[in-house]
């Protein structure tokens, strides 16, 4: 019973409804997750670290209201996050480090009121961050080191009163900081 079979089993109606944490890290055969992931109402933590063939997340993941931690580090084929992810009001930690193909984090992700940390290190193709990131009143850590294509930071970022750690080393395309 491998990880791929587990992903297929999640697609069965009512399966894993009490699940709080799901770790499918280091499963290189996973290319996608089923839309039924959105039906796991109690899911608080989803780890897909180094699922190198993962190309997309289902928009239905935005229905996981309890989701607090999303770890996508090393999902190098992942190009974008679904805008519906912004509906996860409990999302506190977003890890997309080493997602080398990711070009942008959608604006909807900044709608997460509880978002406290974003790790986007080594996202070499990342060009932009959510324009409304400044509305994230709980954001305390933003790590974008080695994002070589990151051109600018959102104007409202200076309004993040809780921001205590801003890491931007080796962001060669970055020319200025917001006021």
């Amino acid at each position: 019973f491998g990880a791929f079979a587990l992903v297929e089993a999640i697609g069965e109606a009512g399966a894993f409804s009490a699940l709080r944490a799901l770790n499918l890290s280091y499963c290189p055969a996973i290319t996608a997750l089923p839309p039924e992931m959105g039906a796991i109402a109690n899911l608080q933590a989803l780890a897909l670290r180094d699922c190198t063939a993962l190309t997309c997340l289902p928009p239905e993941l935005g229905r996981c209201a309890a989701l607090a931690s999303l770890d996508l580090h090393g999902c190098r084929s992942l190009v974008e996050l679904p805008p519906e992810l912004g509906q996860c009001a409990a999302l506190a930690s977003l890890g997309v480090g080493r997602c080398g193909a990711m070009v942008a984090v959608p604006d909807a992700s900044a709608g997460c009121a509880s978002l406290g940390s974003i790790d986007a290190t080594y996202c070499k193709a990342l060009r932009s961050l959510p324009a409304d990131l400044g509305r994230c009143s709980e954001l305390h850590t933003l790590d974008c080191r080695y994002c070589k294509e990151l051109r600018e930071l959102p104007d409202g970022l200076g309004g993040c009163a809780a921001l205590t750690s801003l890491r931007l080393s080796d962001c060669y395309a970055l020319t200025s900081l917001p006021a």
Side-chain angles (χ1 to χ4, degrees):
F1 190 74
F4 193 74
L6 177 62
V7 170
E8 287 181 335
I10 289 170
E12 296 175 16
F16 303 103
S17 60
L19 198 62
R20 293 185 189 278
L22 179 58
N23 188 338
L24 294 170
S25 296
Y26 308 102
C27 294
I30 295 175
T31 58
L33 297 176
E36 291 81 6
M37 288 290 297
I40 306 176
N42 295 315
L43 189 63
Q44 296 173 358
L46 178 58
L48 297 162
R49 185 176 283 258
D50 286 309
C51 289
T52 54
L54 184 69
T55 58
C56 63
L57 295 175
E60 292 82 1
L61 196 59
R63 293 196 322 246
C64 294
L67 188 63
S69 175
L70 182 57
D71 182 356
L72 300 167
H73 286 88
C75 294
R76 62 179 180 230
S77 299
L78 189 62
V79 176
E80 63 184 1
L81 300 175
E84 293 82 0
L85 197 59
Q87 298 168 13
C88 297
L91 190 63
S93 175
L94 177 62
V96 293
R98 295 183 297 111
C99 290
M102 189 170 295
V103 176
V105 177
D107 285 346
S109 293
C112 302
S114 301
L115 193 57
S117 70
I118 298 175
D119 179 353
T121 54
Y122 289 97
C123 288
K124 295 178 181 180
L126 187 68
R127 292 189 190 122
S128 65
L129 293 170
D132 55 354
L133 195 61
R135 294 186 322 170
C136 295
S137 59
E138 299 297 318
L139 187 66
H140 55 80
T141 303
L142 178 59
D143 194 345
C144 293
R145 290 173 293 154
Y146 304 100
C147 292
K148 296 179 180 191
E149 296 298 320
L150 185 62
R151 291 168 171 40
E152 61 184 4
L153 296 174
D155 287 332
L157 190 62
C160 292
L163 191 62
T164 57
S165 179
L166 178 60
R167 301 173 106 189
L168 300 168
S169 61
D170 296 294
C171 292
Y172 303 125
L174 191 62
T175 57
S176 63
L177 294 174

